[in-house]
Amino acid sequence: MAQELPLPLYKKLTVLFRVEPGCLGPDGIDHIEGFCKFAKKQVTGLHSDFVRWSITPRFDKTLPETEYKTNNKRLDHDKAEKYLHIFGQELDDFEEQFQELLSELIDKYLGR
Protein backbone atom coordinates (compact mmCIF):
# COMPACT_ATOMS: atom_id res chain seq x y z
CA MET A 1 0.00 0.00 0.00
CA ALA A 2 1.39 3.41 -0.95
CA GLN A 3 2.20 5.91 1.78
CA GLU A 4 -0.02 8.98 1.49
CA LEU A 5 1.92 12.16 1.03
CA PRO A 6 1.21 14.98 3.47
CA LEU A 7 -1.18 17.60 2.19
CA PRO A 8 0.69 20.70 0.97
CA LEU A 9 0.01 23.82 3.05
CA TYR A 10 -1.87 25.59 0.27
CA LYS A 11 -4.35 22.69 0.09
CA LYS A 12 -4.99 22.60 3.82
CA LEU A 13 -8.03 24.30 5.26
CA THR A 14 -6.98 27.49 6.99
CA VAL A 15 -9.30 28.12 9.92
CA LEU A 16 -9.09 31.75 10.99
CA PHE A 17 -10.74 32.15 14.36
CA ARG A 18 -11.14 35.60 15.90
CA VAL A 19 -11.39 35.66 19.69
CA GLU A 20 -13.27 38.49 21.39
CA PRO A 21 -11.26 40.12 24.18
CA GLY A 22 -14.38 39.96 26.38
CA CYS A 23 -14.04 36.15 26.49
CA LEU A 24 -11.13 36.72 28.86
CA GLY A 25 -13.12 38.84 31.29
CA PRO A 26 -13.37 42.59 31.91
CA ASP A 27 -9.63 43.16 31.38
CA GLY A 28 -9.50 40.77 28.41
CA ILE A 29 -8.12 43.49 26.15
CA ASP A 30 -4.90 43.32 28.20
CA HIS A 31 -4.60 39.55 27.71
CA ILE A 32 -6.03 38.83 24.26
CA GLU A 33 -2.75 38.94 22.32
CA GLY A 34 -1.02 36.57 24.75
CA PHE A 35 -4.02 34.26 24.81
CA CYS A 36 -4.14 34.02 21.01
CA LYS A 37 -0.46 33.02 20.90
CA PHE A 38 -1.04 30.49 23.69
CA ALA A 39 -4.14 29.04 22.00
CA LYS A 40 -2.41 28.78 18.61
CA LYS A 41 0.37 26.67 20.17
CA GLN A 42 -2.20 24.47 21.89
CA VAL A 43 -4.24 23.73 18.73
CA THR A 44 -1.42 23.39 16.19
CA GLY A 45 -1.62 19.59 16.24
CA LEU A 46 -5.43 19.44 16.05
CA HIS A 47 -6.37 17.96 12.65
CA SER A 48 -2.93 19.09 11.48
CA ASP A 49 -3.03 16.68 8.56
CA PHE A 50 -5.61 18.90 6.83
CA VAL A 51 -6.03 22.11 8.92
CA ARG A 52 -3.88 25.18 9.53
CA TRP A 53 -5.03 27.24 12.50
CA SER A 54 -4.91 30.99 12.80
CA ILE A 55 -6.15 32.48 16.06
CA THR A 56 -6.27 36.23 16.34
CA PRO A 57 -8.01 38.92 18.41
CA ARG A 58 -11.38 40.11 17.14
CA PHE A 59 -11.13 43.86 17.45
CA ASP A 60 -13.38 44.52 14.46
CA LYS A 61 -16.85 43.12 15.13
CA THR A 62 -17.81 43.51 11.47
CA LEU A 63 -15.47 40.62 10.67
CA PRO A 64 -16.83 37.09 11.11
CA GLU A 65 -15.74 35.06 14.12
CA THR A 66 -14.65 32.16 11.91
CA GLU A 67 -13.34 32.21 8.37
CA TYR A 68 -12.32 29.27 6.22
CA LYS A 69 -9.84 29.45 3.35
CA THR A 70 -7.92 27.11 1.16
CA ASN A 71 -5.39 28.04 -1.48
CA ASN A 72 -5.83 31.65 -0.29
CA LYS A 73 -9.51 31.64 -1.30
CA ARG A 74 -12.29 32.19 1.20
CA LEU A 75 -14.77 29.33 1.48
CA ASP A 76 -18.41 29.90 2.30
CA HIS A 77 -20.17 27.64 4.79
CA ASP A 78 -21.20 25.07 2.16
CA LYS A 79 -17.74 24.79 0.64
CA ALA A 80 -16.11 24.50 4.09
CA GLU A 81 -18.60 21.77 4.90
CA LYS A 82 -17.75 19.90 1.68
CA TYR A 83 -14.03 20.25 2.36
CA LEU A 84 -14.34 18.86 5.88
CA HIS A 85 -16.60 16.05 4.69
CA ILE A 86 -13.67 14.72 2.60
CA PHE A 87 -11.85 14.13 5.92
CA GLY A 88 -14.86 12.58 7.64
CA GLN A 89 -15.75 15.73 9.58
CA GLU A 90 -19.06 17.56 9.90
CA LEU A 91 -18.71 21.35 10.03
CA ASP A 92 -21.11 21.82 12.95
CA ASP A 93 -19.33 19.14 15.03
CA PHE A 94 -15.94 20.53 14.01
CA GLU A 95 -16.93 24.04 15.16
CA GLU A 96 -18.55 22.77 18.36
CA GLN A 97 -15.46 20.75 19.31
CA PHE A 98 -13.25 23.77 18.66
CA GLN A 99 -15.48 26.03 20.77
CA GLU A 100 -15.31 23.54 23.65
CA LEU A 101 -11.53 23.35 23.35
CA LEU A 102 -11.30 27.13 23.27
CA SER A 103 -13.34 27.36 26.49
CA GLU A 104 -10.97 24.90 28.15
CA LEU A 105 -7.97 26.89 26.89
CA ILE A 106 -9.41 30.15 28.27
CA ASP A 107 -9.83 28.50 31.69
CA LYS A 108 -6.31 27.08 31.50
CA TYR A 109 -4.84 30.41 30.41
CA LEU A 110 -6.61 32.26 33.21
CA GLY A 111 -5.54 29.60 35.73
CA ARG A 112 -9.03 28.46 36.66
Side-chain angles (χ1 to χ4, degrees), residues 13-17 39-40 43-48 51-55 66 68 94 98 101:
L13 182 68
T14 298
V15 179
L16 170 59
F17 190 82
K40 167 87 168 95
V43 301
T44 296
L46 185 64
H47 303 299
S48 62
V51 174
R52 278 179 68 193
W53 296 96
S54 179
I55 300 175
T66 309
Y68 299 98
F94 180 86
F98 181 72
L101 176 60

Side-chain angles (χ1 to χ4, degrees), residues 6 9 11 14-15 18 25 27 33 35 46 52-53 55 60-61 64 76-77 86 90 92 95 102 105:
L9 281 179
K11 287 189 176 181
T14 298
V15 179
R18 295 180 180 95
D27 59 348
E33 298 279 349
F35 173 74
L46 185 64
R52 278 179 68 193
W53 296 96
I55 300 175
D60 181 349
K61 296 209 186 230
D76 63 22
H77 188 272
I86 292 168
E90 296 295 327
D92 290 342
E95 289 180 342
L102 203 61
L105 291 175

Side-chain angles (χ1 to χ4, degrees), residues 27-41:
D27 59 348
I29 196 82
D30 300 331
H31 305 287
I32 193 68
E33 298 279 349
F35 173 74
C36 288
K37 287 179 184 148
F38 167 79
K40 167 87 168 95
K41 285 181 186 165

Side-chain angles (χ1 to χ4, degrees), residues 17-28 31-32 34-40 42-43 55-56 65 97-112:
F17 190 82
R18 295 180 180 95
V19 181
E20 305 238 358
C23 292
L24 298 170
D27 59 348
H31 305 287
I32 193 68
F35 173 74
C36 288
K37 287 179 184 148
F38 167 79
K40 167 87 168 95
Q42 300 295 311
V43 301
I55 300 175
T56 185
E65 184 177 58
Q97 289 170 352
F98 181 72
Q99 290 284 357
E100 287 174 15
L101 176 60
L102 203 61
S103 288
E104 291 170 18
L105 291 175
I106 287 170
D107 288 347
K108 188 175 177 182
Y109 185 79
L110 296 175
R112 294 185 201 155

